[in-house]
């Protein structure tokens, strides 16, 4: 593990690290906040997945999670959103595809499949690697994220209900297989057979029988992507009659930015801590 930076914050350690990834075939960077309680005992871990165009740095610098994570004793891990490097395929003029837009899936199509294995990286490789270096209680894991990362968090939770005890999202893409800003990426990553897309679509997973106890979703009503990209009401419809509990909070005047995320970050951390305690 390569140490990029380490800083003390609220009695804990905010670090940025990198390592060689077998899944993504290159160096991957991630951020970790370790609370002071981890000095003496393993602590619950929260995985935060960022949105389109982001890296680990967006939430680390603007998410305002450290004070509450320190108070609650939560380890917060913030992976990158895609593989990086000069040999990694990209579409330089398309922010919805390639670097920064991994969609937390395992690509099957050329040329993307060689590096874009983000589902395997997030669910298998990074947890196995990080847990060797930080005092994580892997029996108490939660996952959350924003936008594309909210999509990733929800689909990963639905596919791994035995691993995660909590899941929440800020403005998630709940049905990426039909959303304007994700259909193109899904076809390029996964091919034209839309049946293959369903395993990475929260609404489709629920309709196909996947279950997770409950979700918390916060959404701004002033979000410019609400109508065409996010559409949380579709997930609200999908979970009806399934036994899945959904708390969907719609907020006047809030947009898609980290001003919105940082406003409700404490609520999400407390919500996860209750379920991980």
């Amino acid at each position: 593990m390569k140490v990029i930076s380490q800083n003390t914050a609220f009695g804990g350690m905010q670090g940025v690290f990198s390592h060689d990834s077998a899944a993504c075939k290159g160096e991957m960077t991630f951020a970790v906040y370790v609370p002071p309680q981890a000095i003496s005992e393993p602590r619950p871990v929260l995985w935060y997945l960022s949105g389109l165009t982001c890296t680990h740095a967006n939430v680390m610098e603007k998410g305002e999670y450290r004070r509450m994570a320190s108070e609650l004793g939560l380890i917060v891990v913030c992976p990158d959103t895609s593989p990086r490097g000069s040999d990694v395929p990209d579409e330089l003029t398309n922010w919805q595809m390639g670097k920064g837009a991994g969609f937390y899936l395992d690509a099957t199509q050329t040329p993307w499949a060689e590096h874009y294995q983000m589902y395997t990286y997030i669910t298998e490789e990074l947890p196995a690697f990080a847990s060797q270096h930080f005092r994580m209680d892997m029996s108490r894991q939660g996952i959350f994220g924003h936008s594309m990362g909210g999509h990733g968090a929800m689909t990963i939770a639905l596919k791994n209900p035995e691993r995660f005890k909590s899941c929440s999202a800020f403005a998630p893409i709940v049905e990426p297989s039909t959303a304007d800003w994700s259909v193109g990426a899904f076809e390029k990553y996964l091919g034209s057979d839309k049946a293959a897309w369903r395993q990475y679509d929260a609404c489709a997973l629920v309709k196909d029988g996947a279950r997770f106890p409950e979700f918390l979703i916060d959404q701004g009503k002033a979000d410019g992507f609400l109508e065409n990209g996010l559409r949380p009401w579709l997930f609200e419809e999908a979970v009806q009659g399934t036994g899945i509990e959904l708390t969907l909070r719609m907020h006047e005047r809030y947009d898609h930015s980290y001003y919105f995320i940082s406003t409700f970050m404490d609520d999400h951390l407390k919500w996860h801590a209750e379920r991980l305690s």
Side-chain angles (χ1 to χ4, degrees):
M1 184 171 69
K2 178 182 178 181
V3 179
I4 297 174
S5 66
Q6 286 182 295
N7 300 93
T8 300
F10 298 98
M13 184 277 296
Q14 175 65 69
V16 180
F17 309 93
S18 68
H19 70 119
D20 291 330
S21 166
C24 297
K25 292 183 173 59
E27 188 174 33
M28 294 292 289
T29 301
F30 64 98
V32 181
Y33 179 71
V34 181
Q37 297 90 332
I39 294 173
S40 58
E41 63 178 358
R43 299 305 302 171
V45 57
L46 265 180
W47 304 90
Y48 179 90
L49 308 184
S50 292
L52 284 163
T53 74
C54 293
T55 69
H56 68 279
N58 295 74
V59 67
M60 185 181 77
E61 296 171 356
K62 297 182 285 189
E64 301 181 21
Y65 57 82
R66 279 172 288 270
R67 180 188 61 81
M68 186 55 65
S70 174
E71 180 179 322
L72 298 171
L74 297 173
I75 295 174
V76 181
V77 185
C78 309
D80 201 349
T81 53
S82 75
R84 308 280 175 174
S86 58
D87 60 336
V88 174
D90 193 19
E91 292 189 0
L92 295 177
T93 60
N94 182 5
W95 61 276
Q96 298 169 336
M97 186 67 198
K99 295 177 185 177
F103 279 95
Y104 304 102
L105 50 75
D106 283 350
T108 59
Q109 304 300 300
T110 303
W112 312 101
E114 182 179 0
H115 295 279
Y116 287 81
Q117 300 295 308
M118 288 300 295
Y119 178 81
T120 294
Y121 177 71
I122 296 295
T123 61
E124 297 180 18
E125 186 175 22
L126 184 57
F129 180 80
S131 62
Q132 295 177 21
H133 296 276
F134 305 98
R135 197 164 286 170
M136 298 177 171
D137 183 349
M138 300 302 280
S139 69
R140 294 188 288 169
Q141 297 184 67
I143 190 167
F144 67 146
H146 169 231
S147 194
M148 178 184 73
H151 134 76
M154 293 172 69
T155 56
I156 288 171
L158 283 163
K159 295 173 72 171
N160 299 275
E162 73 291 339
R163 179 183 304 182
F164 297 99
K165 295 184 179 297
S166 58
C167 180
S168 70
F170 302 97
I173 309 170
V174 300
E175 194 175 86
S177 64
T178 63
D180 289 351
W181 63 352
S182 47
V183 166
F186 268 47
E187 184 165 7
K188 290 174 183 176
Y189 284 137
L190 302 172
S192 59
D193 182 3
K194 294 184 178 181
W197 302 7
R198 298 182 69 84
Q199 63 181 312
Y200 301 112
D201 183 303
C203 288
L205 283 166
V206 170
K207 293 173 184 177
D208 291 346
R211 295 293 180 264
F212 195 78
E214 58 181 331
F215 294 91
L216 167 64
I217 295 176
D218 275 313
Q219 173 66 60
K221 288 186 177 181
D223 191 323
F225 302 112
L226 179 59
E227 294 295 331
N228 295 322
L230 308 173
R231 306 170 297 166
W233 50 84
L234 296 180
F235 192 70
E236 189 174 35
E237 294 169 3
V239 301
Q240 289 180 4
T242 64
I244 297 173
E245 295 185 20
L246 171 63
T247 301
L248 173 59
R249 307 192 303 184
M250 303 293 295
H251 302 280
E252 298 286 350
R253 303 190 308 279
Y254 283 95
D255 57 20
H256 200 67
S257 71
Y258 268 89
Y259 296 109
F260 157 64
I261 296 168
S262 63
T263 299
F264 300 103
M265 179 62 78
D266 281 4
D267 289 356
H268 282 244
L269 294 177
K270 291 175 182 178
W271 192 86
H272 284 278
E274 290 176 358
R275 286 148 185 81
L276 298 176
S277 63

